[in-house]
């Protein structure tokens, strides 16, 4: 489970190693948080090896802060930027919830230069919060960010509050014209999740 959450174990289409998809990492760490004795024993063993990574060193504090609901500590761990750790801290903040965490996660989502695994983890973390406020404060501002259309489309489909003709539907339809295949595919999936059939001809063409 620690490997799923923290290690680059997924082989991409180009043959490189990357983190697992954020939903898998989120599920793995949620299980870890409930397995106190087992996780502490495993982390202790891993930390006993020569030169443990900064990411691994941060895990005991992260788990402790998650269990305690210590949002300030989780935000501090997030900002350290240890490889793969900000994504896990984002999951924790989303699980704890609250207005402050929504604002923090939305701000980090829109911050230029964030690592891709972190951005997608923030997107999944935000799905646990108020869908109307997430749409207003995170999803809509992402429409104009050049690196976020696919994630924004993914979130629109998952949040399940868009209705035909609104700003979210217009965004998804615009995404179908994107030159980026990932953005197109994510928008198609989102429209399907929302039960929309109005773009069937376009979908069949794509």
């Amino acid at each position: 489970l620690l490997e799923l959450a923290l290690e680059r174990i997924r082989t991409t289409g180009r043959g490189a190693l990357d983190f697992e998809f954020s939903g898998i990492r989120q599920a793995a760490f949620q299980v870890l948080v409930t397995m106190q004795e087992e996780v502490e024993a495993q982390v202790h063993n891993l930390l006993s090896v020569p030169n443990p990574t900064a990411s691994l060193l941060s895990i005991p504090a992260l788990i402790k802060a998650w269990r305690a609901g210590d949002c300030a500590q989780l935000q501090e761990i997030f900002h350290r930027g240890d490889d793969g750790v900000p994504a896990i801290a984002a999951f924790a903040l989303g699980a704890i919830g609250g207005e402050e965490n929504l604002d923090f996660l939305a701000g980090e989502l829109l911050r230029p230069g964030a690592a891709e695994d972190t951005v997608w983890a923030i997107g999944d973390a935000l799905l646990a919060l108020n869908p109307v406020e997430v749409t207003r404060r995170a999803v809509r501002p992402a429409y104009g960010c050049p690196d976020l259309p696919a994630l924004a489309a993914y979130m629109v489909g998952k949040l399940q509050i868009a209705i035909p003709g609104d700003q979210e539907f217009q965004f998804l339809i615009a995404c179908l014209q994107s030159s980026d295949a990932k953005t197109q595919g994510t928008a198609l999936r989102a429209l399907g999740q929302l039960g929309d059939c109005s773009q069937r001809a376009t979908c069949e063409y794509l």
Side-chain angles (χ1 to χ4, degrees), residues 32-106:
L32 285 172
V33 171
T34 68
M35 300 168 60
Q36 183 169 355
E37 293 183 2
E38 296 90 339
V39 172
E40 288 177 355
Q42 185 177 4
V43 169
H44 177 76
N45 290 336
L46 291 171
L47 291 177
S48 67
V49 303
N51 303 315
T53 64
S55 299
L56 187 57
L57 287 169
S58 70
I59 292 305
L62 195 157
I63 292 176
K64 181 179 179 181
W66 190 340
R67 287 175 177 152
D70 188 342
C71 299
Q73 178 68 9
L74 288 168
Q75 291 178 18
E76 193 275 327
I77 292 170
F78 181 101
H79 280 142
R80 291 178 196 168
D82 297 325
D83 190 39
V85 175
I88 307 303
F91 297 147
L93 292 166
I96 294 169
E99 289 291 309
E100 181 181 346
N101 287 337
L102 196 163
D103 282 338
F104 176 85
L105 291 170

Side-chain angles (χ1 to χ4, degrees), residues 11-17:
T11 304
T12 68
R14 297 180 179 179
L17 289 177

